[in-house]
């Protein structure tokens, strides 16, 4: 496994790529409301990305047909936007997308409530988000990669939620997906030692029910096997000499 260590110049480009992506998410979140189609969200995401002179890195990636993955309710990830799929009051929707700025990738995901949502749905969203922050408490130089995985697992499991095992986080840089893979559940090994200059996309995917998932016939959309709700929270982070820097988190 070869994990790239970014130079100061590369980190500056990654930082800007991620800053722009956080702005895109800010704007996309404003149009989430009952009645909007998932295709409308995708169109707006692509428009925003291109308005910054950047390239949507999900579009045509391994054949994926959109710029933003829009996943609703029991859809875990990789939901394909469709003009006839309109959001309804009480839905939850996960947006996952990234962009390329001067050759450097960024990647992030958020789950939003549509109008008024149930307490159960809000709790799932909140726990999923917090699990990311619990995980990156361990994202320090000298610690091991799977310390992050264990911290996420330790936080989520007591809630009785299912941690998706078929999909994981990843390294990121001049490619969207680089080594290493980053599971969100405990591992028997330690994994690699974390070093300053590593850039990682940490992304807990948490189901209200069991962890099992399946793929729909479109070969992209991943759904919970038991039909339970799923939430997703992702940031691109930088390992430093001190605390990790969350590159896609707008301050």
């Amino acid at each position: 496994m070869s994990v790239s260590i970014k130079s100061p110049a590369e980190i500056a480009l990654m930082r800007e790529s991620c800053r722009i992506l956080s702005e895109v998410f800010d704007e996309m979140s404003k149009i989430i409301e009952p009645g909007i189609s998932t295709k409308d969200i995708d169109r707006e995401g692509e428009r925003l990305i291109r308005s910054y002179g950047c390239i949507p890195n999900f579009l045509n990636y391994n054949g994926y047909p959109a710029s933003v993955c829009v996943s609703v309710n029991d859809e875990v990830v990789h939901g394909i936007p469709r003009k006839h799929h309109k959001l309804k009051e009480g839905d939850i929707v996960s947006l996952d997308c990234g962009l390329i700025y001067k050759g450097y990738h960024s990647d992030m995901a958020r789950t939003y409530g549509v109008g008024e949502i149930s307490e159960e749905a809000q709790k799932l969203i909140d726990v999923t988000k917090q699990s990311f922050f619990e995980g990156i408490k361990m994202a320090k130089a000298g610690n091991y990669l799977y310390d992050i995985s264990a911290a996420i697992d330790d936080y989520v499991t007591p809630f009785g939620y299912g941690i998706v095992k078929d999909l994981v986080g990843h390294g990121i840089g001049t490619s969207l997906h680089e080594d290493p893979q980053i599971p969100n559940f405990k591992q028997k090994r330690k994994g690699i030692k974390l070093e300053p200059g590593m850039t990682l996309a940490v992304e807990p995917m948490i189901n209200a029910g069991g962890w099992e998932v399946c793929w729909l016939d479109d070969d992209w959309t991943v759904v919970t096997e038991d039909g339970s709700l799923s939430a997703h929270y992702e940031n691109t982070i930088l390992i430093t000499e001190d605390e990790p820097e969350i590159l896609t988190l707008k301050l």
Side-chain angles (χ1 to χ4, degrees):
M1 181 190 302
S2 176
V3 179
S4 66
I5 304 296
K6 309 312 190 283
S7 69
E10 289 178 303
I11 290 169
L13 292 169
M14 288 287 295
R15 203 175 267 129
E16 183 62 8
S17 180
C18 291
R19 185 196 68 78
I20 293 169
L21 184 59
S22 71
E23 296 282 357
V24 169
F25 266 78
D26 262 9
E27 293 303 311
M28 283 198 298
S29 70
K30 294 174 183 175
I31 67 169
I32 294 172
E33 60 183 14
I36 195 169
S37 76
T38 57
K39 186 63 180 175
D40 289 335
I41 297 171
D42 172 58
R43 284 199 190 101
E44 178 64 1
E46 180 172 352
R47 184 193 71 76
L48 288 162
I49 289 168
R50 295 192 187 281
S51 75
Y52 285 97
C54 298
I55 299 166
N57 52 9
F58 283 24
L59 184 60
N60 300 319
Y61 183 79
N62 291 336
Y64 185 74
S67 298
V68 184
C69 296
V70 187
S71 307
V72 183
N73 294 334
D74 66 336
E75 296 173 348
V76 181
V77 286
H78 305 159
I80 296 176
R82 302 185 190 282
K83 64 180 180 179
H84 298 301
H85 191 173
K86 297 186 185 300
L87 299 182
K88 303 186 301 295
E89 183 89 13
D91 284 343
I92 65 172
V93 59
S94 299
L95 307 185
D96 183 8
C97 78
L99 57 83
I100 307 168
Y101 170 79
K102 296 186 177 179
Y104 285 82
H105 291 253
S106 50
D107 190 6
M108 66 183 283
R110 297 286 188 271
T111 301
Y112 303 97
V114 182
E116 293 291 322
I117 63 173
S118 69
E119 288 184 15
E120 293 82 3
Q122 188 62 57
K123 181 180 176 184
L124 176 66
I125 292 171
D126 292 344
V127 169
T128 302
K129 177 180 178 179
Q130 187 58 34
S131 73
F132 165 86
F133 288 99
E134 295 298 322
I136 67 158
K137 288 177 182 177
M138 305 305 294
K140 297 179 182 180
N143 284 355
Y144 292 91
L145 181 69
Y146 297 151
D147 292 339
I148 299 173
S149 310
I152 292 171
D153 194 324
D154 284 341
Y155 178 74
V156 171
T157 297
F159 290 96
Y161 293 150
I163 303 171
V164 174
K165 296 183 178 178
D166 299 64
L167 301 149
V168 297
H170 51 92
I172 185 169
T174 53
S175 298
L176 175 57
H177 292 111
E178 298 182 352
D179 285 335
Q181 292 193 345
I182 310 166
N184 298 302
F185 51 96
K186 283 184 179 175
Q187 303 293 299
K188 293 180 179 177
R189 294 165 296 143
K190 290 182 175 181
I192 61 167
K193 186 174 280 193
L194 298 174
E195 298 179 39
M198 290 181 174
T199 45
L200 310 172
V202 178
E203 51 177 323
M205 290 155 274
I206 310 298
N207 301 339
W211 63 266
E212 297 86 355
V213 298
C214 53
W215 273 252
L216 298 185
D217 290 342
D218 62 20
D219 293 330
W220 278 105
T221 309
V222 181
V223 298
T224 58
E225 203 167 88
D226 58 11
S228 63
L229 294 178
S230 187
H232 186 194
Y233 188 87
E234 174 185 20
N235 282 302
T236 299
I237 71 167
L238 168 69
I239 305 298
T240 74
E241 296 284 0
D242 192 25
E243 297 295 322
E245 183 179 344
I246 308 173
L247 300 177
T248 45
L249 193 64
K250 191 174 180 183
L251 300 176

